[in-house]
Amino acid sequence: MNMMPNNSLSPQIMPIEENDFTRLFEIEQAAHLVPWSLGTLKNNQGERYLNLKIVHHQQIVGFAICQFVLDEATLFNIAIDPAFQGQHLGALLLQELLNQLKAKGIKTLWLEVREGNQRAIQLYQQNDFNEVDIRKNYYPTPDGKRENAVVMAAYLA
Ligand SMILES: CC(C)(COP(=O)(O)OP(=O)(O)OC[C@H]1O[C@@H](n2cnc3c(N)ncnc32)[C@H](O)[C@@H]1OP(=O)(O)O)[C@@H](O)C(=O)NCCC(=O)NCCS
């Protein structure tokens, strides 16, 4: 019987590093309806961010970009490679982010999500986010129209 530990096979969550961007941008383009540019991805880094990647089977399969100011934070982006969606990797990443934010003393995590993105909305509702506002015609759509944003918040205290 093989008694080797299989830690490298279970998903691991780690801070994003400089040489991750090529892979992160691939996931960004595959996962989002209207993806960020590589420049936007790279600009949303720094000391006011808590940015995490999730690694599964030794490759990056998703990431989260979160900015904090005083005791509030905003989740700007979360994406899982479509080939790996539906395996609870998004939930795992979000829960780890929430734990790390709590440990930093953050009290509220805000986010905006497309009204039609029911998969993401369900993930957020399962993790104690509440809908607090609707921003009318906030997001562009690929066909040149606009889509409402749902503003959600989770209280971490
Ligand atoms: C939203 C996203 C991050 C979720 O990641 P994921 O790994 O696919 O989600 P999980 O497998 O962890 O599922 C978590 C919950 O999401 C919901 N969900 C996942 N797949 C779903 C599907 N096909 N249909 C409906 N709900 C779904 C479920 O509530 C699920 O929990 P459950 O299986 O216990 O019921 C991922 O789908 C993604 O990258 N989407 C594109 C980018 C995006 O929309 N990001 C959010 C922008 S605000």
Side-chain angles (χ1 to χ4, degrees):
M1 191 199 291
N2 183 355
M3 300 299 283
M4 290 288 285
N6 72 343
N7 288 347
S8 63
L9 297 179
S10 25
Q12 294 176 297
I13 297 175
M14 291 170 274
I16 287 175
E17 292 166 350
E18 187 62 39
N19 59 6
D20 294 332
F21 285 110
T22 305
R23 176 66 184 136
L24 298 185
F25 189 50
E26 267 177 21
I27 296 171
E28 173 68 17
Q29 290 177 295
H32 281 289
L33 215 52
V34 181
W36 281 1
S37 68
L38 179 60
T40 302
L41 201 54
K42 285 186 172 177
N43 284 339
N44 279 280
Q45 312 293 322
E47 59 186 19
R48 287 192 8 213
Y49 288 82
L50 178 56
N51 293 343
L52 300 175
K53 63 187 172 196
I54 181 160
V55 176
H56 192 36
H57 296 302
Q58 292 164 344
Q59 66 173 320
I60 300 173
V61 294
F63 64 90
I65 308 279
C66 179
Q67 189 187 59
F68 53 90
V69 178
L70 301 174
D71 64 357
E72 303 213 336
T74 305
L75 180 58
F76 284 155
N77 198 340
I78 182 167
I80 299 292
D81 181 335
F84 291 87
Q85 287 178 10
Q87 300 177 32
H88 286 112
L89 297 170
L92 203 63
L93 180 59
L94 182 60
Q95 281 150 18
E96 177 61 20
L97 180 74
L98 290 166
N99 286 340
Q100 292 197 20
L101 289 170
K102 273 185 213 169
K104 278 180 174 296
I106 302 295
K107 301 265 191 300
T108 313
L109 177 59
W110 297 89
L111 61 82
E112 287 152 2
V113 54
R114 288 176 185 271
E115 199 172 49
N117 193 349
Q118 282 306 314
R119 178 182 293 203
I121 289 172
Q122 201 163 328
L123 170 66
Y124 300 140
Q125 282 172 341
Q126 284 176 350
N127 285 279
D128 298 328
F129 282 82
N130 293 306
E131 184 179 319
V132 288
D133 199 8
I134 299 282
R135 297 212 169 119
K136 291 272 177 206
N137 301 319
Y138 184 75
Y139 287 112
T141 60
D143 62 2
K145 296 185 181 154
R146 308 289 295 185
E147 180 174 3
N148 293 345
V150 181
V151 181
M152 303 185 86
Y155 301 99
L156 310 182

